Amino acid sequence: MEQTPAADTDLQFVMDTASGFWRSQALFSGVNLGLFTLLAREPAHEAELTQALGLHPDAARDFLDALVALGLLTRGDDGRYANAPAADRYLDREKDSYVGGFFTFMGHSLYPAWGRLSELLRSGARQEGRDSFGDWYRDLDQVRRFMDAMDSVSAPVTAALAHRFDWTPYRTFADLGGARGNLAGHVAAAHPHLRGVCFDLPALAPLFTEHMERLGTTGKVTFQGGDFRTDPLPEADVLLFGHVLHDWDEASRQLLVKRAFDAVRPGGALLIYEELLDDDRRGPARSLLMSLNMRLVRTGGSEYTAAQARDWLTAAGFADITVEDLTATERLVIARKKR
């Protein structure tokens, strides 16, 4: 029986979904080979790229032209390849906006985990990574490279929080689980009247110190080491949880929110930003897939809905809870503590 146009479209949709990993692996290989960094210097012909990157000529042309078709490269009438705007901005290692380090992490750690998705679905057990952040933080060079990438990926969130939230009424803030203090440093730099605290595991103190020097915010933000589940939290007018609650199971989230309520000063606020799921769990697709990703790499981890966050915040004592879009992928929950 001859297929109808609708059937052809449906088949194409299924095939495109099934082959999605082809696209990601082409991108990851380009990053790992240093292709985009090389082309950021000047456009080049296929033969030049093959020699410079040590590529086999039988595969190089398909690889390069596939990246052109994907919109990551361009090919001029003279046959020279160049970075497309997105690749030039985000995939050149020499630029501050480089996010390729995160893609290397995805290729090395997340891609293998996704190959075991069926095992997660059968067992419910984490498939990759470590549940102890303390273990992972032992290799500070590894952590530094990862945080370079994460800070670039999170740049839109950092800019939005620094400039869209009204910091005028407040004098102090603390970023709980703030890593090396990138968000805290940018907020303090944008609002000189603020003094901040970055709270995270003690092993990150050296990375915090060097990053504050890089940002020029030494003295404006201090570091407090500890475990936010058990150790005293810094008291402040505003507390933040950014990409933190999705690492933990529901009981731990409720505990963290309650501990944050106790540490927020009267009249202050708790800010939570995350890739929240829609309350009806029909989307966004990226956030639902991110939830599966969290389950693959963290025991108890997952994304959650705004309604769930409201329940935890209300139970902890917060009032005047609002939810708004922060970036194309992030939503911001603001919960206030009465005076």
Side-chain angles (χ1 to χ4, degrees), residues 62-93:
D62 283 350
F63 173 58
L64 295 169
D65 286 344
L67 292 174
V68 172
L70 291 172
L72 292 168
L73 297 183
T74 62
R75 188 182 69 224
D77 293 339
D78 60 358
R80 292 196 302 169
Y81 294 89
N83 285 334
D88 186 66
R89 181 175 183 180
Y90 293 113
L91 301 179
D92 173 13
R93 290 185 186 128

Side-chain angles (χ1 to χ4, degrees), residues 199-219:
F199 186 95
D200 215 309
L201 294 177
L204 288 176
L207 297 188
F208 169 84
T209 299
E210 69 182 28
H211 198 56
M212 291 304 101
E213 291 175 355
R214 181 191 304 177
L215 295 179
T217 52
T218 300

Side-chain angles (χ1 to χ4, degrees), residues 113-135:
W114 275 88
R116 298 190 292 275
L117 177 59
S118 296
E119 292 304 312
L120 166 71
L121 297 175
R122 293 189 184 102
S123 69
R126 171 178 56 85
Q127 299 295 308
E128 185 78 18
R130 302 169 180 168
D131 282 330
S132 170
F133 287 106
D135 291 341

Side-chain angles (χ1 to χ4, degrees), residues 1-23:
M1 178 182 295
E2 185 177 351
Q3 285 189 317
T4 65
D8 290 342
T9 301
D10 289 344
L11 177 60
Q12 188 63 51
F13 166 72
V14 172
M15 294 300 293
D16 284 347
T17 302
S19 62
F21 70 96
W22 299 355
R23 295 166 172 79

